[in-house]
Amino acid sequence: MRRPTRPLSERRPARAQISAEQLASLSHEFRTPLNGVIGMARLLEGTPLSAEQRAYVAALHDSGQHLLALVNDVLDFAKLGSGAVELRPAPFGLEGLLRGVAELLSPRAREKGIEIAWAGPAAPVRLHADEGRLRQILLNFAGNAVKFTSQGGVLIGASVPKPGRLRFTVEDTGPGVSAADRDRIFEAFAQADASHADLGGAGLGLAIARRLARAMGGDVGVEAAPSGGAAFWFEADLAALPGAPVESSLAGRRIGVASPNPVIREAARRQIEACGGQAVVTETLSEAVAATRINEVILADAALTEGHGSLRPPSRRATIVLLAPDERDGIDRYRNAGFAGYLIKPLRRVSLAERVLIAAGAQVQAEAPREDERIATAAAPGARILLVEDNPINALLARALLGREGCDVEHAVSGEEALAACDASAFDLILMDMRMPGLNGEETARRLRSNGLETPIVALTANAFEDDRHACLAAGMNDFLVKPLSPDALRAALTRWARPGFTQAPAHAKVG
């Protein structure tokens, strides 16, 4: 007897509803092997290789990063689509946000031979908003800009178009976005130009940025940049907190800026003007000398030496050289040549003002100027680090990177081993994997804090979702690092948390 045929709608399986917990688990399962691939490629890049081998490793690394970005976008888009966007407003400094995004993407920009820089408004604005979501939008915009820009660079900025209103911009010197594509690219799975499909991307990042922006009561868009590239923007009413008065340390001073790169010139100009000074920007050092007066300070980009021999400071002009972090080996050479100091790119406004005043003789310090931690040969020599990581490949990568920074590493493979290690010894810093069998990272951190341990704890998390990061902080951790570990991000965390002399006496470090 023939069975009656059911309607097609009844024969379709019910669509599975994926919970946030399932997404987190799926995210971890995807990212763990990817972290190993990317991390090992990074270590391999630091070994002696032939030109052919180096090309193969670079392709392996780039492909892994591409796949990881796709996983991040797909899972983040799915999670945002599963419910309302949860915002966690808290006080934070605007300059810290801009600087952090620029410095995080600086190694990637440097690899492409372009520059990345930032500049903020004159007032050192403090906001009450969701810093993590704002960072996610800016990283999306700036990451895309780095990917599509082959020469010149990317400038991350912020301005206050009217009281209570803040506008973020990410300008690049890339190919730009056509007027016909400027709204479409913010739709899910859309891309502006099929000719750039080889650069990767699922077309989800900008859709995520728009969703986050609208959740904060703002909007996003793109227009033509003054350079002819693209200028992505995000604007919203964000609550500003009372802060310090407008910076004016360079008031009445004129500073020359010489760089062949338009992004460096523009960022320096904005930062100088944010400090009350006047900037004279030029493409060559000779033009900067002609445009300034005797005894005025000049900022000279080390890139001016390309193809022209060594860079020499002009006479009767205090000159500060601008260096990339990987050019730190040249600092003594520039000092011996007569330069008045150095600044590391991306430039930091506070450091710029300090160095200019010292070079001009207007600020006398009892001790030498602070060295920029980005050029340190080792970020934490002698620091005792407890690495809590159950995955052997991730542990191998972390130990190798920590060893390069001069750290003494003890390895625990579980939360229980971490508790025992802290009971027996004192550490300057604990790096804690979040997902481990048995006692996970969050539970281990809570146990350590409840037992009175004050040692800084930095989470190692494969999950890039903002609520995962907030969970780290809620458990008593001080910070977090996203896997695969980046040498620059790890160096920054060590500089921030593995302070010399922080280690407590064992009697105070024990847990019950």
Side-chain angles (χ1 to χ4, degrees):
M1 180 177 177
R2 185 178 179 183
R3 283 181 159 181
T5 303
R6 291 180 297 161
L8 180 61
S9 59
E10 294 180 12
R11 283 183 279 143
R12 285 176 179 156
R15 187 173 64 179
Q17 298 297 316
I18 301 178
S19 68
E21 291 76 15
Q22 289 171 318
L23 272 175
S25 177
L26 184 63
S27 166
H28 183 267
E29 295 306 318
F30 274 129
R31 288 189 177 95
T32 297
L34 270 175
N35 292 339
V37 170
I38 297 170
M40 291 303 104
R42 215 175 248 144
L43 287 183
L44 193 56
E45 284 177 328
T47 64
L49 300 171
S50 68
E52 183 180 18
Q53 290 169 330
R54 191 165 298 281
Y56 294 159
V57 173
L60 177 66
H61 181 269
D62 291 347
S63 297
Q65 289 283 17
H66 174 202
L67 185 54
L68 184 61
L70 288 174
V71 169
N72 288 342
D73 281 351
V74 169
L75 293 176
D76 208 7
F77 184 76
K79 191 165 188 179
L80 288 174
S82 66
V85 176
E86 184 178 357
L87 300 177
R88 294 182 174 90
F92 69 94
L94 175 60
E95 282 202 356
L97 171 64
L98 300 175
R99 187 183 79 188
V101 171
E103 292 182 4
L104 182 63
L105 293 174
S106 177
R108 196 189 307 174
R110 184 76 178 162
E111 287 174 2
K112 291 197 65 177
I114 63 175
E115 299 283 0
I116 188 167
W118 66 272
V125 177
R126 285 188 60 78
L127 302 174
H128 189 269
D130 191 324
E131 182 182 10
R133 293 304 192 185
L134 289 173
R135 183 187 298 107
Q136 190 173 358
I137 293 173
L138 290 179
L139 281 172
N140 185 288
F141 287 173
N144 271 350
V146 169
K147 180 166 67 174
F148 286 99
T149 301
S150 57
Q151 59 183 0
V154 177
L155 178 58
I156 305 167
S159 59
V160 183
K162 65 179 182 179
R165 188 84 172 166
L166 198 63
R167 183 180 178 91
F168 294 91
T169 56
V170 175
E171 303 173 32
D172 63 57
T173 56
V177 180
S178 69
D181 286 327
R182 288 177 188 172
D183 188 64
R184 189 178 66 83
I185 58 173
F186 288 95
E187 298 173 3
F189 303 104
Q191 292 182 343
D193 188 347
S195 66
H196 294 294
D198 60 313
L199 294 174
L204 290 176
L206 294 179
I208 292 170
R210 171 177 276 180
R211 174 109 194 243
L212 293 175
R214 289 179 174 174
M216 288 185 274
D219 207 352
V220 294
V222 60
E223 54 196 35
S227 63
F232 284 84
W233 57 266
F234 160 63
E235 191 170 317
D237 292 330
L238 299 175
L241 300 175
V246 174
E247 171 68 40
S248 59
S249 59
L250 297 182
R253 295 187 177 277
R254 189 167 61 161
I255 296 98
V257 179
S259 174
N261 192 290
V263 167
I264 296 298
R265 296 196 299 270
E266 180 63 14
R269 180 188 69 78
R270 293 189 196 181
Q271 292 193 3
I272 290 168
E273 291 178 353
C275 294
Q278 176 189 355
V280 179
V281 297
T282 62
E283 293 187 29
T284 67
L285 185 53
S286 59
E287 289 174 322
V289 170
T292 55
R293 295 186 288 265
I294 293 174
N295 298 326
E296 289 183 334
V297 177
I298 293 176
L299 309 182
D301 194 344
L304 291 166
T305 63
E306 294 180 0
H308 303 288
S310 59
L311 184 63
R312 296 283 178 181
S315 61
R316 295 193 291 181
R317 301 287 195 284
T319 306
I320 297 170
V321 65
L322 310 183
L323 302 169
D326 58 6
E327 294 174 324
R328 59 176 175 262
D329 292 342
I331 289 176
D332 288 340
R333 184 175 74 252
Y334 285 111
R335 281 175 175 156
N336 294 334
F339 283 88
Y342 73 90
L343 285 166
I344 298 298
K345 300 180 288 186
L347 301 179
R348 296 174 176 177
R349 183 187 59 82
V350 173
S351 299
L352 186 156
E354 178 189 62
R355 296 279 174 158
V356 166
L357 291 175
I358 292 171
Q363 180 173 316
V364 179
Q365 291 191 338
E367 54 189 39
R370 291 169 295 178
E371 295 290 339
D372 194 309
E373 80 278 0
R374 289 174 289 174
I375 57 92
T377 52
R384 297 203 67 233
I385 310 296
L386 176 62
L387 171 65
V388 189
E389 171 63 76
D390 67 304
N391 184 282
I393 295 177
N394 288 338
L396 176 62
L397 172 62
R399 293 191 70 146
L401 295 178
L402 288 166
R404 293 177 184 176
E405 302 299 343
C407 301
D408 178 15
V409 184
E410 182 168 335
H411 180 207
V413 298
S414 67
E416 291 81 1
E417 283 193 18
L419 293 174
C422 290
D423 188 46
S425 303
F427 299 94
D428 294 302
L429 177 66
I430 299 171
L431 297 178
M432 181 79 70
D433 183 30
M434 288 296 286
R435 291 178 66 92
M436 297 180 290
L439 202 63
N440 65 30
E442 186 177 341
E443 294 164 342
T444 304
R446 292 186 189 278
R447 287 270 294 274
L448 291 173
R449 292 300 186 226
S450 68
N451 288 320
L453 189 74
E454 297 181 359
T455 302
I457 303 175
V458 174
L460 303 178
T461 174
N463 295 333
F465 297 140
E466 281 302 316
D467 51 357
D468 297 310
R469 296 173 179 180
H470 283 282
C472 301
L473 304 180
M477 302 190 192
N478 302 83
D479 206 346
F480 53 83
L481 289 169
V482 176
K483 301 177 188 176
L485 281 179
S486 151
D488 294 275
L490 179 61
R491 174 186 289 265
L494 290 172
T495 302
R496 188 178 304 118
W497 299 112
R499 299 185 295 276
F502 189 93
T503 306
Q504 301 165 316
H508 293 94
K510 286 191 176 182
V511 294

